[in-house]
Amino acid sequence: MRRHIDSLSLPVSGVGTRWNRSVPIKVNIFLWRLRLNRIPVRSVLVDRGVELDSILCPVCQSDEESTSHLFFQCEVASQLWRRLGIWLDITFPMDPGVTKMLDWIDTSLGIRRKRSILEAVCMVTLWVIWSYRNGVIFSPNKFKKSLLYDTIVDFSFRWFSHRNAKARVSWIDWIRNPLMP
């Protein structure tokens, strides 16, 4: 009976979990759910029969909120990715989707440590965008868009440096570009 219930309620997909030890468990689980399209953005909620006042993105109010829009196409997200590209001296693929972005990370940057840092920064960015979106909807205190980039740099440094004791990354080097030798 348990197997039958599990087969009805647990998602079955070919998407394996992807774990980056440089970020907290909650961020890894969030990324896994995002790859399974199990994040409750408005387009997903409407597809599940939830009635909403609006399906527009709460961040920009200009397009339907889907995972692709929220994390890559929304003006706030696309500005963040551009700014992160300048910081890291790389060009992110335009609107790649989460799975395509992870595949791109796997094939970019030859050194494993650099790929791990890039993946952590991307995961933190997705997490910060999601947290900002939820703050816009649910928090009475308005979050400042101007602090999103700084939050990504700060969280990614703290999480990476504290979870990789042997890495020995200085704050100054991180601010300059953590992907530089």
Side-chain angles (χ1 to χ4, degrees):
M1 183 55 106
R2 179 178 176 187
R3 274 181 263 169
H4 176 68
I5 292 171
D6 284 349
S7 71
L8 296 175
S9 62
L10 294 176
V12 177
S13 76
V15 177
T17 57
R18 183 176 179 118
W19 205 258
N20 187 311
R21 57 176 275 208
S22 300
V23 296
I25 293 170
K26 65 183 178 182
V27 177
N28 281 292
I29 292 170
F30 165 75
L31 184 75
W32 173 66
R33 291 184 65 222
L34 182 59
R35 290 180 66 203
L36 289 173
N37 202 27
R38 298 287 185 186
I39 300 296
V41 293
R42 293 175 181 207
S43 63
V44 170
L45 292 173
V46 167
D47 289 347
R48 291 182 188 162
V50 177
E51 292 185 29
L52 300 171
D53 293 338
S54 172
I55 62 169
L56 293 178
C57 173
V59 175
C60 69
Q61 295 291 322
S62 67
D63 204 352
E64 177 182 351
E65 183 192 43
S66 65
T67 54
S68 181
H69 171 78
L70 178 65
F71 295 106
F72 300 104
Q73 297 167 342
C74 179
E75 186 58 33
V76 172
S78 62
Q79 286 177 7
L80 272 175
W81 291 114
R82 279 191 297 272
R83 192 158 178 204
L84 290 169
I86 293 167
W87 170 47
L88 299 172
D89 195 26
I90 58 174
T91 303
F92 286 98
M94 297 305 292
D95 187 29
V98 175
T99 301
K100 288 181 183 177
M101 174 175 274
L102 294 173
D103 291 342
W104 172 77
I105 291 169
D106 288 340
T107 59
S108 64
L109 304 176
I111 300 170
R112 182 178 178 188
R113 179 176 177 269
K114 288 184 178 185
R115 284 195 315 267
S116 179
I117 291 171
L118 179 58
E119 181 180 43
V121 169
C122 290
M123 291 172 81
V124 170
T125 302
L126 296 168
W127 176 258
V128 167
I129 291 170
W130 181 247
S131 299
Y132 177 72
R133 176 257 191 206
N134 287 336
V136 168
I137 295 173
F138 301 114
S139 178
N141 303 324
K142 294 299 177 197
F143 285 58
K144 293 183 178 182
K145 282 189 258 186
S146 61
L147 296 179
L148 293 177
Y149 172 79
D150 295 336
T151 302
I152 293 166
V153 174
D154 177 45
F155 282 13
S156 61
F157 171 75
R158 284 190 291 142
W159 289 345
F160 186 85
S161 62
H162 287 88
R163 294 166 182 275
N164 297 283
K166 294 179 183 176
R168 305 233 186 251
V169 179
S170 75
W171 175 242
I172 298 299
D173 290 340
W174 192 269
I175 289 173
R176 286 184 187 139
N177 182 345
L179 301 178
M180 296 308 286

